[in-house]
Amino acid sequence: MANKGLQILGFALALIGLIGLIIGTILPQWKMSAYVGDNIITAIAMYEGLWMSCAFQSTGQIQCKVYDSILQLNGALQATRALMIVSIIVTVAGLGIACMGMKCTNCGGDDKTRKSRIAMAGGIVILIGSLCGIIACSWYAHDIIQAFYNPFTPVNTKYEFGSAIFIAWAGAFLAVIGGGMLAASCPRQKSTPKYPISRPPSSKEYV
């Protein structure tokens, strides 16, 4: 069966990945204004996230505005929102399932084979949640790249990758690694002996 240390390491990586997914989802720095023109004023830096847009001034002041209507947002942003929320919820559920099946916990009964199967199921759920996060970040990044290289996009409205998308990406990949380690808890089938086990003669044979 899987090593206890491998399960603990996988759980820890998945937990760190979940924290990264949550932080990346909350932060507004999913994309930042790209200064690609010659006459761009750099006194104000514009950031856009999944929930709000912010303006960082050179004096240190920050002004943020929450998006007024969901219907005004583009499809990529709405899909990224939904996938990131699903990713966090599914990863939390996977961690809860895996916690019951780990060898270092008392949940799930004393049957080691059953606990290994529970830990494996939790790892698979974590993998599904982390893949949703990777798809969300990749979709949003693809939308940024398309708008950046679109010749019809004004120079002062072009954006590049922000720090939050990299945090979410890193969290999703860590969750993938942790979920893979937990999914490796698949119980091995007990090998049957090739020869019949000899039993001592019963007392009835001597009667």
Side-chain angles (χ1 to χ4, degrees), residues 123-200:
I124 294 174
V125 174
I126 293 173
L127 284 174
I128 296 173
S130 57
L131 287 177
C132 290
I134 292 176
I135 294 172
C137 296
S138 302
W139 194 339
Y140 196 87
H142 177 71
D143 186 69
I144 294 174
I145 294 173
Q146 273 193 332
F148 185 86
Y149 289 107
N150 188 355
F152 298 102
T153 303
V155 176
N156 57 348
T157 59
K158 289 189 176 183
Y159 289 88
E160 58 186 358
F161 298 152
S163 58
I165 192 171
F166 292 109
I167 294 174
W169 250 327
F173 280 113
L174 286 176
V176 166
I177 298 173
M181 290 182 178
L182 289 170
S185 301
C186 180
R188 298 177 181 177
Q189 295 180 355
K190 297 181 179 179
S191 58
T192 56
K194 296 182 180 179
Y195 301 99
I197 302 175
S198 60
R199 298 180 179 177

Side-chain angles (χ1 to χ4, degrees), residues 11 27 43 45 75 88 93 105 121 134 144 169 172 192-193 199 203-205:
F11 186 86
L27 289 178
I88 293 172
T105 60
I134 292 176
I144 294 174
W169 250 327
T192 56
R199 298 180 179 177
S203 58
K204 295 180 179 180
E205 296 180 359

Side-chain angles (χ1 to χ4, degrees), residues 4-206:
K4 184 188 296 185
L6 184 66
Q7 287 184 342
I8 296 175
L9 179 60
F11 186 86
L13 289 176
L15 182 60
I16 296 173
L18 173 64
I19 296 173
L21 287 172
I22 295 174
I23 294 175
T25 304
I26 296 174
L27 289 178
Q29 291 92 349
W30 275 71
K31 61 181 181 180
M32 56 182 294
S33 52
Y35 306 110
V36 295
D38 298 330
N39 299 321
I40 300 297
I41 300 175
T42 59
I44 299 177
M46 299 297 299
Y47 291 91
E48 288 189 9
L50 302 182
W51 314 99
M52 65 183 69
S53 60
C54 296
F56 290 75
Q57 299 181 4
S58 58
T59 57
Q61 296 180 349
I62 303 173
Q63 295 180 350
C64 295
K65 180 182 178 183
V66 180
Y67 299 134
D68 296 330
S69 176
I70 299 178
L71 301 178
Q72 294 179 352
L73 305 177
N74 56 14
L77 181 56
Q78 294 183 20
T80 305
R81 269 186 175 185
L83 285 172
M84 290 301 295
I85 294 175
V86 170
S87 175
I88 293 172
I89 294 174
V90 174
T91 304
V92 169
L95 286 172
I97 297 172
C99 184
M100 293 188 296
M102 294 175 63
K103 292 182 178 181
C104 58
T105 60
N106 296 325
C107 303
D110 297 330
D111 190 352
K112 294 182 179 180
T113 303
R114 182 183 177 185
K115 284 177 69 69
S116 297
R117 289 176 179 172
I118 294 174
M120 181 186 65
I124 294 174
V125 174
I126 293 173
L127 284 174
I128 296 173
S130 57
L131 287 177
C132 290
I134 292 176
I135 294 172
C137 296
S138 302
W139 194 339
Y140 196 87
H142 177 71
D143 186 69
I144 294 174
I145 294 173
Q146 273 193 332
F148 185 86
Y149 289 107
N150 188 355
F152 298 102
T153 303
V155 176
N156 57 348
T157 59
K158 289 189 176 183
Y159 289 88
E160 58 186 358
F161 298 152
S163 58
I165 192 171
F166 292 109
I167 294 174
W169 250 327
F173 280 113
L174 286 176
V176 166
I177 298 173
M181 290 182 178
L182 289 170
S185 301
C186 180
R188 298 177 181 177
Q189 295 180 355
K190 297 181 179 179
S191 58
T192 56
K194 296 182 180 179
Y195 301 99
I197 302 175
S198 60
R199 298 180 179 177
S202 61
S203 58
K204 295 180 179 180
E205 296 180 359
Y206 298 98

